[in-house]
């Protein structure tokens, strides 16, 4: 079963607003990743984080790897309609095969 | 690079029938994963292979599910016999071993069992 708690489960916001979502775990991960899934497609990697405390940006997206290695957050600034989708956090403990554990997802809806 | 290729994109079948889902990973990726996605349970890992060898199949729901990877460029997930509760989107993903950022998903197969 899932070991990552992701919140909120869904968000309905106005275009232009900032968005924040987070992920927590009871255990440590060595890598945190954030994916976006659009309708009818598989998840696509947005940001990967490799060190505790790391803050990484990708355009309007910013993600941080928590100091305790048990959490991560993703911020989206100035949302636009094409930001709509499901955002997943994922953690990896590394090692052969780099198996990922996924959060339950945050469904984002943006009103123009 | 064509990415991870899954077929078919959609499959509708009757309960009791055998279903075979197919996946072609990205060339050079040594790890391959099968996931199932439902509204209730989210993304669940079913099985993963490393260098064509099944490493962890603890997520396979029951004996009706089986997966094979006969070579580095092809994998199948088979359900026999299928049941309505198997209806879901099944994703295949591949990656370079020991690199979490190399995880690429296919577009999925939407399975409906009626």
């Amino acid at each position: 079963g899932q070991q990552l708690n992701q919140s909120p489960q869904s968000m309905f916001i106005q275009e232009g607003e900032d968005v924040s979502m987070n992920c927590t775990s009871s255990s440590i991960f060595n890598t945190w990743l954030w994916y976006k899934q659009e309708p009818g497609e598989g998840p696509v990697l947005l940001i990967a984080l490799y060190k505790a405390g790391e803050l990484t940006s990708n355009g309007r997206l910013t993600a941080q790897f928590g100091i305790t290695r048990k959490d991560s957050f993703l911020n989206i600034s100035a949302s636009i309609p094409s930001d709509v989708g499901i955002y997943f956090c994922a953690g990896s403990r590394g090692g052969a095969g780099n198996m990922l554990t996924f959060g339950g997802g945050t469904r984002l809806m943006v009103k123009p | 690079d064509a990415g991870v290729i899954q077929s078919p994109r959609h499959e509708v079948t009757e309960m009791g029938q055998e279903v075979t889902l197919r996946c072609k990973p990205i060339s050079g990726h040594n790890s391959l994963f099968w996931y199932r996605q439902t509204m209730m349970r989210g993304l669940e890992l079913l099985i993963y292979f490393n260098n064509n060898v099944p490493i962890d199949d603890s997520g396979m729901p029951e004996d009706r599910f089986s997966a094979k990877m006969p070579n580095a460029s092809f994998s199948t997930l088979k359900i026999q016999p299928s049941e309505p509760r198997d209806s879901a989107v099944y994703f295949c993903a591949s990656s370079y071993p020991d690199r979490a950022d190399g995880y690429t998903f296919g577009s999925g197969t939407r399975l409906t069992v009626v």
Side-chain angles (χ1 to χ4, degrees):
Chain A
Q2 292 171 13
Q3 301 170 34
L4 296 185
N5 297 309
Q6 188 171 346
S7 65
Q9 286 187 316
S10 63
M11 303 179 73
F12 187 52
I13 62 169
Q14 193 78 34
E15 181 178 0
E17 288 183 2
D18 296 344
V19 172
S20 184
M21 59 191 78
N22 66 76
C23 212
T24 60
S25 169
S26 58
S27 54
I28 289 172
F29 288 99
N30 295 320
T31 305
W32 282 91
L33 306 102
W34 286 91
Y35 285 81
K36 179 187 178 187
Q37 183 181 23
E38 297 188 1
E41 298 298 328
V44 174
L45 182 66
L46 297 174
I47 292 179
L49 302 155
Y50 302 103
K51 285 192 213 175
E54 180 182 351
L55 187 72
T56 297
S57 293
N58 178 5
R60 293 178 297 106
L61 276 60
T62 301
Q64 185 158 28
F65 191 143
I67 289 289
T68 65
R69 294 200 282 159
K70 292 183 179 181
D71 61 346
S72 178
F73 72 75
L74 175 71
N75 285 345
I76 305 173
S77 62
S79 58
I80 59 178
S82 61
D83 291 333
V84 163
I86 304 175
Y87 292 79
F88 290 98
C89 62
S92 168
R93 294 188 175 88
N98 57 71
M99 198 169 69
L100 294 180
T101 300
F102 282 86
T106 296
R107 184 179 296 271
L108 178 64
M109 292 158 280
V110 180
K111 183 178 180 182
Chain B
D1 193 334
V4 176
I5 300 173
Q6 290 187 247
S7 64
R9 285 299 307 270
H10 302 273
E11 176 80 35
V12 180
T13 191
E14 290 186 346
M15 182 173 64
Q17 296 296 306
E18 177 180 295
V19 174
T20 300
L21 311 181
R22 297 173 176 79
C23 176
K24 177 178 167 55
I26 290 175
S27 177
H29 280 188
N30 295 63
S31 294
L32 183 140
F33 307 81
W34 283 100
Y35 279 83
R36 178 172 68 177
Q37 185 177 35
T38 60
M39 288 291 290
M40 291 297 295
R41 299 175 67 88
L43 275 166
E44 300 174 276
L45 177 67
L46 300 177
I47 185 171
Y48 86 91
F49 295 84
N50 202 30
N51 293 321
N52 312 338
V53 176
I55 302 300
D56 185 347
D57 65 354
S58 59
M60 296 286 262
E62 46 198 274
D63 292 345
R64 297 184 297 106
F65 285 68
S66 62
K68 292 182 181 178
M69 192 164 185
N71 57 61
S73 59
F74 184 64
S75 177
T76 59
L77 178 68
K78 186 177 292 187
I79 308 172
Q80 166 64 22
S82 57
E83 296 182 3
R85 61 191 166 121
D86 301 330
S87 298
V89 181
Y90 290 81
F91 287 104
C92 174
S94 70
S95 73
Y96 293 106
D98 300 317
R99 282 181 56 184
D101 61 340
Y103 216 97
T104 303
F105 282 86
S107 297
T109 295
R110 180 175 293 278
L111 174 65
T112 304
V113 183
V114 297

